[in-house]
Amino acid sequence: ATVSRAGIIYVSDTDLDWEPVLKAWVLKRADPGYQALLETFIDRWIGKCTRVDPGPCFEFLQRNTAEVMREGRVGRISSFTQLFEGLTEGQETSFIVNNEKALERIFVYCLCWSVGALLEADDRSKFDRWLRDRDKSEVLPQVKQSETIYEFCVNSSTGEWEKWKPPKWTCPESDKLDFSNLLVPTMDSTRAKYI
């Protein structure tokens, strides 16, 4: 590590990896019971990180999938924490914090859309199967043959899984349509808007 003139210490992500970032985030949560619950979810879905092993989740992704573009583990964990905070911290989501099953659903949802966000369809299927192998508490959505967890989101009002549905679109009626500014909602644009 080096110290700059401003007193900033740089530590490579290969020296500390993702676990200190996630632990520090958990410790910032006010309620010790909430912290313990998050630790349980982390152990179940992501695992422990050592100097030689990034944990079962990252190990699986590294060995069995190919990302569209490369992103470091620390960056993915940071994305995870920000997405999780956005979906669980606010007045309209206050009931979720007291609903362990809904909270775990959101945890897994955030894991998919941060740690597993840069996967193509085939690799998303592999990751979905890996998650289902670990789903002892049955928090993942029930899916049809060709579906994965990526076709679902957690309803912020009920805490239940629901399938993504683009909103119904009608073509604006006008003599002069500016086609460059029309946005026809698709499954991907609906997902991106939600996230």
Side-chain angles (χ1 to χ4, degrees):
T2 58
V3 179
S4 72
R5 291 180 194 178
I8 299 170
I9 298 175
Y10 171 78
V11 180
S12 171
D13 63 347
T14 57
D15 291 333
L16 290 180
D17 218 325
W18 60 266
E19 195 167 39
V21 174
L22 192 54
K23 280 190 177 193
W25 175 79
V26 169
L27 291 174
K28 288 181 184 175
R29 309 303 104 197
D31 180 16
Y34 189 58
Q35 291 176 4
L37 188 59
L38 289 173
E39 287 289 345
T40 302
F41 296 160
I42 291 166
D43 289 346
R44 183 177 304 149
W45 297 104
I46 304 174
K48 296 278 186 202
C49 179
T50 67
R51 289 192 59 73
V52 294
D53 181 13
C57 181
F58 284 109
E59 181 76 17
F60 172 82
L61 291 171
Q62 184 176 334
R63 292 185 182 269
N64 300 291
T65 64
E67 299 170 317
V68 175
M69 61 185 237
R70 210 157 147 66
E71 183 185 13
R73 292 188 290 260
V74 172
R76 288 189 272 174
I77 287 297
S78 294
S79 296
F80 167 82
T81 59
Q82 291 168 9
L83 183 57
F84 191 83
E85 277 183 35
L87 294 175
T88 59
E89 295 180 10
Q91 290 179 338
E92 64 277 354
T93 59
S94 58
F95 87 96
I96 288 177
V97 176
N98 299 321
N99 183 336
E100 186 175 325
K101 199 92 158 176
L103 200 60
E104 190 168 7
R105 287 184 189 116
I106 291 174
F107 187 95
V108 174
Y109 171 84
C110 293
L111 186 66
C112 290
W113 287 106
S114 58
V115 173
L118 297 174
L119 302 176
E120 290 287 358
D122 289 344
D123 289 331
R124 284 180 178 184
S125 294
K126 290 177 190 176
F127 190 43
D128 180 79
R129 283 191 299 274
W130 185 86
L131 290 168
R132 289 181 188 288
D133 289 344
R134 277 140 195 80
D135 187 18
K136 306 299 182 228
S137 51
E138 298 183 356
V139 296
L140 294 177
Q142 298 298 315
V143 297
K144 295 178 183 167
Q145 182 74 23
S146 62
E147 295 177 336
T148 67
I149 191 171
Y150 289 91
E151 275 74 54
F152 293 82
C153 66
V154 179
N155 183 309
S156 60
S157 301
T158 64
E160 298 292 330
W161 291 105
E162 62 182 35
K163 198 166 181 180
W164 289 107
K165 285 188 283 189
K168 186 174 173 117
W169 184 80
T170 55
C171 183
E173 293 185 25
S174 175
D175 292 338
K176 293 183 179 183
L177 283 179
D178 183 7
F179 288 100
S180 65
N181 286 323
L182 286 180
L183 177 64
V184 178
T186 65
M187 186 71 81
D188 287 332
S189 67
T190 303
R191 290 175 183 156
K193 185 177 179 183
Y194 181 83
I195 291 172

PDB file of all heavy atoms in Angstrom, residues 149-179:
ATOM      1  N   ILE A 149     -34.458 -16.931 -12.971  1.00  0.00           N
ATOM      2  CA  ILE A 149     -34.765 -15.884 -11.997  1.00  0.00           C
ATOM      3  C   ILE A 149     -34.718 -14.508 -12.642  1.00  0.00           C
ATOM      4  O   ILE A 149     -35.347 -13.564 -12.180  1.00  0.00           O
ATOM      5  CB  ILE A 149     -33.796 -15.975 -10.797  1.00  0.00           C
ATOM      6  CG1 ILE A 149     -34.283 -15.066  -9.664  1.00  0.00           C
ATOM      7  CG2 ILE A 149     -32.374 -15.683 -11.206  1.00  0.00           C
ATOM      8  CD1 ILE A 149     -33.530 -15.240  -8.366  1.00  0.00           C
ATOM      9  N   TYR A 150     -33.999 -14.390 -13.748  1.00  0.00           N
ATOM     10  CA  TYR A 150     -33.865 -13.099 -14.426  1.00  0.00           C
ATOM     11  C   TYR A 150     -35.166 -12.635 -15.089  1.00  0.00           C
ATOM     12  O   TYR A 150     -35.263 -11.499 -15.512  1.00  0.00           O
ATOM     13  CB  TYR A 150     -32.745 -13.159 -15.467  1.00  0.00           C
ATOM     14  CG  TYR A 150     -31.373 -13.227 -14.845  1.00  0.00           C
ATOM     15  CD1 TYR A 150     -30.777 -14.449 -14.570  1.00  0.00           C
ATOM     16  CD2 TYR A 150     -30.684 -12.074 -14.517  1.00  0.00           C
ATOM     17  CE1 TYR A 150     -29.515 -14.516 -13.996  1.00  0.00           C
ATOM     18  CE2 TYR A 150     -29.426 -12.126 -13.938  1.00  0.00           C
ATOM     19  CZ  TYR A 150     -28.853 -13.354 -13.680  1.00  0.00           C
ATOM     20  OH  TYR A 150     -27.608 -13.411 -13.101  1.00  0.00           O
ATOM     21  N   GLU A 151     -36.164 -13.493 -15.180  1.00  0.00           N
ATOM     22  CA  GLU A 151     -37.462 -13.090 -15.716  1.00  0.00           C
ATOM     23  C   GLU A 151     -38.405 -12.581 -14.631  1.00  0.00           C
ATOM     24  O   GLU A 151     -39.574 -12.303 -14.897  1.00  0.00           O
ATOM     25  CB  GLU A 151     -38.136 -14.273 -16.433  1.00  0.00           C
ATOM     26  CG  GLU A 151     -37.736 -14.461 -17.860  1.00  0.00           C
ATOM     27  CD  GLU A 151     -36.338 -15.032 -18.034  1.00  0.00           C
ATOM     28  OE1 GLU A 151     -36.016 -16.085 -17.477  1.00  0.00           O
ATOM     29  OE2 GLU A 151     -35.555 -14.372 -18.726  1.00  0.00           O
ATOM     30  N   PHE A 152     -37.905 -12.465 -13.405  1.00  0.00           N
ATOM     31  CA  PHE A 152     -38.749 -12.089 -12.275  1.00  0.00           C
ATOM     32  C   PHE A 152     -38.143 -10.937 -11.483  1.00  0.00           C
ATOM     33  O   PHE A 152     -36.939 -10.732 -11.488  1.00  0.00           O
ATOM     34  CB  PHE A 152     -38.936 -13.284 -11.333  1.00  0.00           C
ATOM     35  CG  PHE A 152     -39.735 -14.395 -11.937  1.00  0.00           C
ATOM     36  CD1 PHE A 152     -39.133 -15.314 -12.776  1.00  0.00           C
ATOM     37  CD2 PHE A 152     -41.084 -14.518 -11.680  1.00  0.00           C
ATOM     38  CE1 PHE A 152     -39.862 -16.343 -13.345  1.00  0.00           C
ATOM     39  CE2 PHE A 152     -41.828 -15.539 -12.245  1.00  0.00           C
ATOM     40  CZ  PHE A 152     -41.214 -16.457 -13.083  1.00  0.00           C
ATOM     41  N   CYS A 153     -39.018 -10.220 -10.785  1.00  0.00           N
ATOM     42  CA  CYS A 153     -38.584  -9.200  -9.834  1.00  0.00           C
ATOM     43  C   CYS A 153     -39.400  -9.382  -8.560  1.00  0.00           C
ATOM     44  O   CYS A 153     -40.401 -10.098  -8.549  1.00  0.00           O
ATOM     45  CB  CYS A 153     -38.765  -7.797 -10.408  1.00  0.00           C
ATOM     46  SG  CYS A 153     -40.473  -7.308 -10.673  1.00  0.00           S
ATOM     47  N   VAL A 154     -38.975  -8.723  -7.498  1.00  0.00           N
ATOM     48  CA  VAL A 154     -39.695  -8.793  -6.233  1.00  0.00           C
ATOM     49  C   VAL A 154     -40.601  -7.574  -6.150  1.00  0.00           C
ATOM     50  O   VAL A 154     -40.144  -6.437  -6.262  1.00  0.00           O
ATOM     51  CB  VAL A 154     -38.729  -8.834  -5.038  1.00  0.00           C
ATOM     52  CG1 VAL A 154     -39.497  -8.890  -3.725  1.00  0.00           C
ATOM     53  CG2 VAL A 154     -37.782 -10.015  -5.153  1.00  0.00           C
ATOM     54  N   ASN A 155     -41.892  -7.813  -5.971  1.00  0.00           N
ATOM     55  CA  ASN A 155     -42.862  -6.737  -5.837  1.00  0.00           C
ATOM     56  C   ASN A 155     -42.591  -6.001  -4.525  1.00  0.00           C
ATOM     57  O   ASN A 155     -42.594  -6.613  -3.451  1.00  0.00           O
ATOM     58  CB  ASN A 155     -44.281  -7.310  -5.856  1.00  0.00           C
ATOM     59  CG  ASN A 155     -45.338  -6.253  -5.785  1.00  0.00           C
ATOM     60  OD1 ASN A 155     -45.320  -5.379  -4.922  1.00  0.00           O
ATOM     61  ND2 ASN A 155     -46.298  -6.327  -6.679  1.00  0.00           N
ATOM     62  N   SER A 156     -42.363  -4.693  -4.605  1.00  0.00           N
ATOM     63  CA  SER A 156     -42.002  -3.923  -3.411  1.00  0.00           C
ATOM     64  C   SER A 156     -43.171  -3.759  -2.436  1.00  0.00           C
ATOM     65  O   SER A 156     -42.958  -3.421  -1.276  1.00  0.00           O
ATOM     66  CB  SER A 156     -41.461  -2.551  -3.810  1.00  0.00           C
ATOM     67  OG  SER A 156     -42.433  -1.830  -4.529  1.00  0.00           O
ATOM     68  N   SER A 157     -44.390  -4.029  -2.885  1.00  0.00           N
ATOM     69  CA  SER A 157     -45.547  -3.911  -1.991  1.00  0.00           C
ATOM     70  C   SER A 157     -45.839  -5.204  -1.249  1.00  0.00           C
ATOM     71  O   SER A 157     -46.268  -5.178  -0.098  1.00  0.00           O
ATOM     72  CB  SER A 157     -46.792  -3.523  -2.791  1.00  0.00           C
ATOM     73  OG  SER A 157     -46.582  -2.304  -3.446  1.00  0.00           O
ATOM     74  N   THR A 158     -45.612  -6.343  -1.915  1.00  0.00           N
ATOM     75  CA  THR A 158     -45.964  -7.631  -1.316  1.00  0.00           C
ATOM     76  C   THR A 158     -44.762  -8.453  -0.888  1.00  0.00           C
ATOM     77  O   THR A 158     -44.891  -9.355  -0.061  1.00  0.00           O
ATOM     78  CB  THR A 158     -46.780  -8.472  -2.311  1.00  0.00           C
ATOM     79  OG1 THR A 158     -45.953  -8.778  -3.445  1.00  0.00           O
ATOM     80  CG2 THR A 158     -48.040  -7.752  -2.748  1.00  0.00           C
ATOM     81  N   GLY A 159     -43.587  -8.181  -1.474  1.00  0.00           N
ATOM     82  CA  GLY A 159     -42.408  -8.990  -1.179  1.00  0.00           C
ATOM     83  C   GLY A 159     -42.412 -10.319  -1.911  1.00  0.00           C
ATOM     84  O   GLY A 159     -41.577 -11.181  -1.655  1.00  0.00           O
ATOM     85  N   GLU A 160     -43.350 -10.496  -2.837  1.00  0.00           N
ATOM     86  CA  GLU A 160     -43.468 -11.742  -3.607  1.00  0.00           C
ATOM     87  C   GLU A 160     -42.828 -11.568  -4.982  1.00  0.00           C
ATOM     88  O   GLU A 160     -42.729 -10.461  -5.500  1.00  0.00           O
ATOM     89  CB  GLU A 160     -44.942 -12.135  -3.771  1.00  0.00           C
ATOM     90  CG  GLU A 160     -45.674 -12.415  -2.476  1.00  0.00           C
ATOM     91  CD  GLU A 160     -45.181 -13.668  -1.765  1.00  0.00           C
ATOM     92  OE1 GLU A 160     -44.727 -14.607  -2.451  1.00  0.00           O
ATOM     93  OE2 GLU A 160     -45.255 -13.701  -0.527  1.00  0.00           O
ATOM     94  N   TRP A 161     -42.439 -12.700  -5.582  1.00  0.00           N
ATOM     95  CA  TRP A 161     -41.911 -12.670  -6.947  1.00  0.00           C
ATOM     96  C   TRP A 161     -43.034 -12.407  -7.930  1.00  0.00           C
ATOM     97  O   TRP A 161     -44.143 -12.908  -7.750  1.00  0.00           O
ATOM     98  CB  TRP A 161     -41.266 -14.007  -7.305  1.00  0.00           C
ATOM     99  CG  TRP A 161     -40.003 -14.310  -6.583  1.00  0.00           C
ATOM    100  CD1 TRP A 161     -39.852 -15.196  -5.549  1.00  0.00           C
ATOM    101  CD2 TRP A 161     -38.713 -13.742  -6.816  1.00  0.00           C
ATOM    102  NE1 TRP A 161     -38.542 -15.198  -5.135  1.00  0.00           N
ATOM    103  CE2 TRP A 161     -37.817 -14.322  -5.907  1.00  0.00           C
ATOM    104  CE3 TRP A 161     -38.224 -12.798  -7.711  1.00  0.00           C
ATOM    105  CZ2 TRP A 161     -36.469 -13.999  -5.860  1.00  0.00           C
ATOM    106  CZ3 TRP A 161     -36.877 -12.478  -7.672  1.00  0.00           C
ATOM    107  CH2 TRP A 161     -36.019 -13.078  -6.758  1.00  0.00           C
ATOM    108  N   GLU A 162     -42.743 -11.630  -8.947  1.00  0.00           N
ATOM    109  CA  GLU A 162     -43.684 -11.475 -10.055  1.00  0.00           C
ATOM    110  C   GLU A 162     -42.883 -11.386 -11.351  1.00  0.00           C
ATOM    111  O   GLU A 162     -41.740 -10.934 -11.362  1.00  0.00           O
ATOM    112  CB  GLU A 162     -44.601 -10.278  -9.873  1.00  0.00           C
ATOM    113  CG  GLU A 162     -43.951  -8.946  -9.822  1.00  0.00           C
ATOM    114  CD  GLU A 162     -44.951  -7.816  -9.598  1.00  0.00           C
ATOM    115  OE1 GLU A 162     -45.945  -8.008  -8.877  1.00  0.00           O
ATOM    116  OE2 GLU A 162     -44.725  -6.734 -10.150  1.00  0.00           O
ATOM    117  N   LYS A 163     -43.504 -11.849 -12.412  1.00  0.00           N
ATOM    118  CA  LYS A 163     -42.825 -11.883 -13.698  1.00  0.00           C
ATOM    119  C   LYS A 163     -42.769 -10.474 -14.297  1.00  0.00           C
ATOM    120  O   LYS A 163     -43.715  -9.705 -14.173  1.00  0.00           O
ATOM    121  CB  LYS A 163     -43.572 -12.827 -14.649  1.00  0.00           C
ATOM    122  CG  LYS A 163     -42.759 -13.257 -15.801  1.00  0.00           C
ATOM    123  CD  LYS A 163     -43.393 -14.434 -16.507  1.00  0.00           C
ATOM    124  CE  LYS A 163     -42.491 -14.825 -17.639  1.00  0.00           C
ATOM    125  NZ  LYS A 163     -42.999 -15.941 -18.368  1.00  0.00           N
ATOM    126  N   TRP A 164     -41.622 -10.165 -14.909  1.00  0.00           N
ATOM    127  CA  TRP A 164     -41.483  -8.876 -15.593  1.00  0.00           C
ATOM    128  C   TRP A 164     -42.507  -8.798 -16.712  1.00  0.00           C
ATOM    129  O   TRP A 164     -42.689  -9.751 -17.467  1.00  0.00           O
ATOM    130  CB  TRP A 164     -40.104  -8.760 -16.239  1.00  0.00           C
ATOM    131  CG  TRP A 164     -38.957  -8.587 -15.312  1.00  0.00           C
ATOM    132  CD1 TRP A 164     -38.024  -9.525 -15.005  1.00  0.00           C
ATOM    133  CD2 TRP A 164     -38.588  -7.419 -14.602  1.00  0.00           C
ATOM    134  NE1 TRP A 164     -37.099  -9.002 -14.142  1.00  0.00           N
ATOM    135  CE2 TRP A 164     -37.422  -7.706 -13.885  1.00  0.00           C
ATOM    136  CE3 TRP A 164     -39.135  -6.146 -14.497  1.00  0.00           C
ATOM    137  CZ2 TRP A 164     -36.787  -6.771 -13.079  1.00  0.00           C
ATOM    138  CZ3 TRP A 164     -38.500  -5.215 -13.692  1.00  0.00           C
ATOM    139  CH2 TRP A 164     -37.347  -5.538 -12.997  1.00  0.00           C
ATOM    140  N   LYS A 165     -43.154  -7.662 -16.823  1.00  0.00           N
ATOM    141  CA  LYS A 165     -44.074  -7.425 -17.934  1.00  0.00           C
ATOM    142  C   LYS A 165     -43.876  -5.996 -18.409  1.00  0.00           C
ATOM    143  O   LYS A 165     -44.045  -5.058 -17.628  1.00  0.00           O
ATOM    144  CB  LYS A 165     -45.528  -7.605 -17.501  1.00  0.00           C
ATOM    145  CG  LYS A 165     -45.961  -9.033 -17.312  1.00  0.00           C
ATOM    146  CD  LYS A 165     -47.434  -9.141 -17.071  1.00  0.00           C
ATOM    147  CE  LYS A 165     -47.707  -8.734 -15.638  1.00  0.00           C
ATOM    148  NZ  LYS A 165     -49.037  -8.954 -15.168  1.00  0.00           N
ATOM    149  N   PRO A 166     -43.497  -5.832 -19.675  1.00  0.00           N
ATOM    150  CA  PRO A 166     -43.410  -4.465 -20.186  1.00  0.00           C
ATOM    151  C   PRO A 166     -44.806  -3.840 -20.198  1.00  0.00           C
ATOM    152  O   PRO A 166     -45.802  -4.533 -20.442  1.00  0.00           O
ATOM    153  CB  PRO A 166     -42.883  -4.617 -21.606  1.00  0.00           C
ATOM    154  CG  PRO A 166     -42.509  -6.039 -21.769  1.00  0.00           C
ATOM    155  CD  PRO A 166     -43.124  -6.820 -20.659  1.00  0.00           C
ATOM    156  N   PRO A 167     -44.904  -2.554 -19.931  1.00  0.00           N
ATOM    157  CA  PRO A 167     -46.220  -1.912 -19.961  1.00  0.00           C
ATOM    158  C   PRO A 167     -46.789  -1.919 -21.378  1.00  0.00           C
ATOM    159  O   PRO A 167     -46.044  -1.939 -22.359  1.00  0.00           O
ATOM    160  CB  PRO A 167     -45.938  -0.487 -19.486  1.00  0.00           C
ATOM    161  CG  PRO A 167     -44.484  -0.272 -19.650  1.00  0.00           C
ATOM    162  CD  PRO A 167     -43.822  -1.619 -19.607  1.00  0.00           C
ATOM    163  N   LYS A 168     -48.096  -1.906 -21.444  1.00  0.00           N
ATOM    164  CA  LYS A 168     -48.752  -1.872 -22.754  1.00  0.00           C
ATOM    165  C   LYS A 168     -48.430  -0.532 -23.412  1.00  0.00           C
ATOM    166  O   LYS A 168     -48.495   0.521 -22.790  1.00  0.00           O
ATOM    167  CB  LYS A 168     -50.254  -2.032 -22.578  1.00  0.00           C
ATOM    168  CG  LYS A 168     -50.980  -2.160 -23.885  1.00  0.00           C
ATOM    169  CD  LYS A 168     -52.442  -2.468 -23.658  1.00  0.00           C
ATOM    170  CE  LYS A 168     -53.148  -2.407 -24.975  1.00  0.00           C
ATOM    171  NZ  LYS A 168     -53.707  -3.620 -25.398  1.00  0.00           N
ATOM    172  N   TRP A 169     -48.073  -0.594 -24.685  1.00  0.00           N
ATOM    173  CA  TRP A 169     -47.663   0.605 -25.406  1.00  0.00           C
ATOM    174  C   TRP A 169     -48.622   0.864 -26.548  1.00  0.00           C
ATOM    175  O   TRP A 169     -49.019  -0.059 -27.276  1.00  0.00           O
ATOM    176  CB  TRP A 169     -46.247   0.427 -25.948  1.00  0.00           C
ATOM    177  CG  TRP A 169     -45.697   1.640 -26.625  1.00  0.00           C
ATOM    178  CD1 TRP A 169     -45.167   2.734 -26.020  1.00  0.00           C
ATOM    179  CD2 TRP A 169     -45.629   1.890 -28.028  1.00  0.00           C
ATOM    180  NE1 TRP A 169     -44.757   3.652 -26.953  1.00  0.00           N
ATOM    181  CE2 TRP A 169     -45.038   3.151 -28.207  1.00  0.00           C
ATOM    182  CE3 TRP A 169     -46.009   1.180 -29.159  1.00  0.00           C
ATOM    183  CZ2 TRP A 169     -44.809   3.715 -29.452  1.00  0.00           C
ATOM    184  CZ3 TRP A 169     -45.784   1.735 -30.400  1.00  0.00           C
ATOM    185  CH2 TRP A 169     -45.189   2.994 -30.537  1.00  0.00           C
ATOM    186  N   THR A 170     -48.998   2.100 -26.693  1.00  0.00           N
ATOM    187  CA  THR A 170     -49.803   2.497 -27.842  1.00  0.00           C
ATOM    188  C   THR A 170     -49.060   3.579 -28.603  1.00  0.00           C
ATOM    189  O   THR A 170     -48.424   4.453 -28.006  1.00  0.00           O
ATOM    190  CB  THR A 170     -51.187   3.047 -27.412  1.00  0.00           C
ATOM    191  OG1 THR A 170     -50.984   4.109 -26.489  1.00  0.00           O
ATOM    192  CG2 THR A 170     -52.022   1.955 -26.768  1.00  0.00           C
ATOM    193  N   CYS A 171     -49.143   3.500 -29.889  1.00  0.00           N
ATOM    194  CA  CYS A 171     -48.450   4.459 -30.746  1.00  0.00           C
ATOM    195  C   CYS A 171     -49.125   5.823 -30.625  1.00  0.00           C
ATOM    196  O   CYS A 171     -50.352   5.933 -30.739  1.00  0.00           O
ATOM    197  CB  CYS A 171     -48.489   3.979 -32.196  1.00  0.00           C
ATOM    198  SG  CYS A 171     -47.574   5.043 -33.322  1.00  0.00           S
ATOM    199  N   PRO A 172     -48.346   6.858 -30.366  1.00  0.00           N
ATOM    200  CA  PRO A 172     -48.945   8.188 -30.287  1.00  0.00           C
ATOM    201  C   PRO A 172     -49.522   8.598 -31.643  1.00  0.00           C
ATOM    202  O   PRO A 172     -48.946   8.302 -32.679  1.00  0.00           O
ATOM    203  CB  PRO A 172     -47.789   9.108 -29.902  1.00  0.00           C
ATOM    204  CG  PRO A 172     -46.574   8.271 -29.832  1.00  0.00           C
ATOM    205  CD  PRO A 172     -46.921   6.871 -30.153  1.00  0.00           C
ATOM    206  N   GLU A 173     -50.646   9.239 -31.578  1.00  0.00           N
ATOM    207  CA  GLU A 173     -51.277   9.680 -32.819  1.00  0.00           C
ATOM    208  C   GLU A 173     -50.912  11.133 -33.075  1.00  0.00           C
ATOM    209  O   GLU A 173     -51.203  12.002 -32.266  1.00  0.00           O
ATOM    210  CB  GLU A 173     -52.793   9.509 -32.719  1.00  0.00           C
ATOM    211  CG  GLU A 173     -53.199   8.043 -32.641  1.00  0.00           C
ATOM    212  CD  GLU A 173     -54.703   7.873 -32.674  1.00  0.00           C
ATOM    213  OE1 GLU A 173     -55.406   8.749 -33.197  1.00  0.00           O
ATOM    214  OE2 GLU A 173     -55.161   6.850 -32.157  1.00  0.00           O
ATOM    215  N   SER A 174     -50.264  11.337 -34.195  1.00  0.00           N
ATOM    216  CA  SER A 174     -49.838  12.672 -34.567  1.00  0.00           C
ATOM    217  C   SER A 174     -49.471  12.656 -36.046  1.00  0.00           C
ATOM    218  O   SER A 174     -49.080  11.635 -36.593  1.00  0.00           O
ATOM    219  CB  SER A 174     -48.631  13.094 -33.733  1.00  0.00           C
ATOM    220  OG  SER A 174     -48.154  14.326 -34.184  1.00  0.00           O
ATOM    221  N   ASP A 175     -49.606  13.812 -36.665  1.00  0.00           N
ATOM    222  CA  ASP A 175     -49.219  13.909 -38.070  1.00  0.00           C
ATOM    223  C   ASP A 175     -47.700  13.868 -38.229  1.00  0.00           C
ATOM    224  O   ASP A 175     -47.181  13.406 -39.236  1.00  0.00           O
ATOM    225  CB  ASP A 175     -49.762  15.199 -38.694  1.00  0.00           C
ATOM    226  CG  ASP A 175     -51.288  15.178 -38.803  1.00  0.00           C
ATOM    227  OD1 ASP A 175     -51.863  14.061 -38.808  1.00  0.00           O
ATOM    228  OD2 ASP A 175     -51.879  16.265 -38.862  1.00  0.00           O
ATOM    229  N   LYS A 176     -47.007  14.386 -37.224  1.00  0.00           N
ATOM    230  CA  LYS A 176     -45.546  14.419 -37.285  1.00  0.00           C
ATOM    231  C   LYS A 176     -44.976  13.627 -36.102  1.00  0.00           C
ATOM    232  O   LYS A 176     -44.881  14.151 -34.990  1.00  0.00           O
ATOM    233  CB  LYS A 176     -45.040  15.851 -37.221  1.00  0.00           C
ATOM    234  CG  LYS A 176     -45.392  16.681 -38.427  1.00  0.00           C
ATOM    235  CD  LYS A 176     -44.780  18.063 -38.303  1.00  0.00           C
ATOM    236  CE  LYS A 176     -45.115  18.890 -39.524  1.00  0.00           C
ATOM    237  NZ  LYS A 176     -44.495  20.210 -39.473  1.00  0.00           N
ATOM    238  N   LEU A 177     -44.627  12.397 -36.355  1.00  0.00           N
ATOM    239  CA  LEU A 177     -44.017  11.579 -35.313  1.00  0.00           C
ATOM    240  C   LEU A 177     -42.504  11.689 -35.395  1.00  0.00           C
ATOM    241  O   LEU A 177     -41.920  11.582 -36.464  1.00  0.00           O
ATOM    242  CB  LEU A 177     -44.408  10.109 -35.476  1.00  0.00           C
ATOM    243  CG  LEU A 177     -45.802   9.731 -35.017  1.00  0.00           C
ATOM    244  CD1 LEU A 177     -46.059   8.261 -35.269  1.00  0.00           C
ATOM    245  CD2 LEU A 177     -45.987  10.048 -33.548  1.00  0.00           C
ATOM    246  N   ASP A 178     -41.889  11.913 -34.269  1.00  0.00           N
ATOM    247  CA  ASP A 178     -40.434  11.940 -34.189  1.00  0.00           C
ATOM    248  C   ASP A 178     -39.977  10.546 -33.756  1.00  0.00           C
ATOM    249  O   ASP A 178     -39.893  10.243 -32.565  1.00  0.00           O
ATOM    250  CB  ASP A 178     -39.992  13.004 -33.191  1.00  0.00           C
ATOM    251  CG  ASP A 178     -38.486  13.125 -33.117  1.00  0.00           C
ATOM    252  OD1 ASP A 178     -37.782  12.477 -33.932  1.00  0.00           O
ATOM    253  OD2 ASP A 178     -38.013  13.878 -32.245  1.00  0.00           O
ATOM    254  N   PHE A 179     -39.700   9.697 -34.742  1.00  0.00           N
ATOM    255  CA  PHE A 179     -39.374   8.302 -34.455  1.00  0.00           C
ATOM    256  C   PHE A 179     -38.097   8.148 -33.625  1.00  0.00           C
ATOM    257  O   PHE A 179     -37.942   7.168 -32.910  1.00  0.00           O
ATOM    258  CB  PHE A 179     -39.255   7.501 -35.761  1.00  0.00           C
ATOM    259  CG  PHE A 179     -40.583   7.268 -36.407  1.00  0.00           C
ATOM    260  CD1 PHE A 179     -41.006   8.050 -37.467  1.00  0.00           C
ATOM    261  CD2 PHE A 179     -41.427   6.276 -35.937  1.00  0.00           C
ATOM    262  CE1 PHE A 179     -42.246   7.845 -38.054  1.00  0.00           C
ATOM    263  CE2 PHE A 179     -42.666   6.062 -36.510  1.00  0.00           C
ATOM    264  CZ  PHE A 179     -43.078   6.846 -37.575  1.00  0.00           C
TER     265      PHE A 179
END
